[in-house]
Amino acid sequence: MPYGGSRDGFRDFAMGRSAHLYRSACLLTSGDTHLAEDLVQETLGRMYLLWGRVARIDNPAAYAQTVLVRAFLTHQRRRSAGERPVGDFPDAGAPAGGDPALRLTLLEALGRLAPKDRAVLVLRYWEDRSVEETADAMNVSSAAVRTRSSRALTRLRGQLGGSLAEFAER
């Protein structure tokens, strides 16, 4: 085995195998060089952690290749794996009829509510869940959801000046 179990041996291994791992990672990622670099770093990090036991690995280069492929497959299974960076953002603005000032005012008022009040309002009125569904999601009774909803709406109206009519006219 050309590499020893020491740190110097790992440094030699990493320097000797990184270019090959990078080329393989570029092929796996269809040319996404940033993801390829991340996968190589993850592979080398995992190899470093077990480098003291390298004597039990017959072929560290082949093992590193296996680690690279498994890291890639794990990344593909993640939810965010389908995201692709783009060079330009579309020119689409806010949806028609949306009022950014109203949105910011409401978000700020919601932020001042207690977390459970905020959760009830979001589940009930944003996600349009029933009282029973909200109760299940929050692990409380239906009566608690109705009470908390009523109180949270009262607090929200108080923060917004007691009436939502001025905001609804916009």
Side-chain angles (χ1 to χ4, degrees), residues 26-89:
C26 282
L27 291 172
L28 287 169
T29 62
S30 301
D32 185 345
T33 58
H34 299 291
L35 177 56
E37 290 171 353
D38 291 345
L39 290 172
V40 170
Q41 287 300 316
E42 185 174 341
T43 299
L44 291 175
R46 289 182 185 179
M47 290 297 293
Y48 182 77
L49 290 176
L50 61 86
W51 194 252
R53 296 173 279 167
V54 77
R56 289 187 256 164
I57 299 172
D58 293 331
N59 187 346
Y63 189 81
Q65 196 70 24
T66 301
V67 171
L68 175 71
V69 170
R70 288 181 181 168
F72 168 72
L73 293 174
T74 298
H75 176 77
Q76 292 302 104
R77 282 191 293 268
R78 290 184 191 139
R79 205 170 162 198
S80 64
E83 297 175 354
R84 295 271 182 211
V86 294
D88 299 316
F89 289 108

Side-chain angles (χ1 to χ4, degrees), residues 8 10 16-17 23 33 37 43 45-46 48 54 72-73 78 92 96 98 107 111 120 128 130 141 143-144 147 149 169:
D8 289 334
F10 177 77
R17 294 303 301 170
R23 284 189 300 274
T33 58
E37 290 171 353
T43 299
R46 289 182 185 179
Y48 182 77
V54 77
F72 168 72
L73 293 174
R78 290 184 191 139
L107 285 174
V120 163
D128 199 27
S130 69
S141 69
T147 301
S149 294
E169 292 172 4

Side-chain angles (χ1 to χ4, degrees), residues 94-157:
D99 183 2
L102 172 61
R103 185 171 302 163
L104 290 174
T105 301
L106 288 173
L107 285 174
E108 185 178 308
L110 277 172
R112 289 188 295 238
L113 293 176
K116 288 184 180 180
D117 290 346
R118 194 170 39 233
V120 163
L121 292 181
V122 168
L123 289 170
R124 286 282 293 130
Y125 302 106
W126 176 258
E127 293 186 8
D128 199 27
R129 291 189 184 190
S130 69
V131 171
E132 292 75 22
E133 290 170 334
T134 302
D136 286 342
M138 295 185 65
N139 200 24
V140 296
S141 69
S142 297
V145 168
R146 285 190 289 276
T147 301
R148 190 170 287 278
S149 294
S150 175
R151 290 180 183 165
L153 284 172
T154 301
R155 287 186 190 108
L156 191 61
R157 285 184 188 109

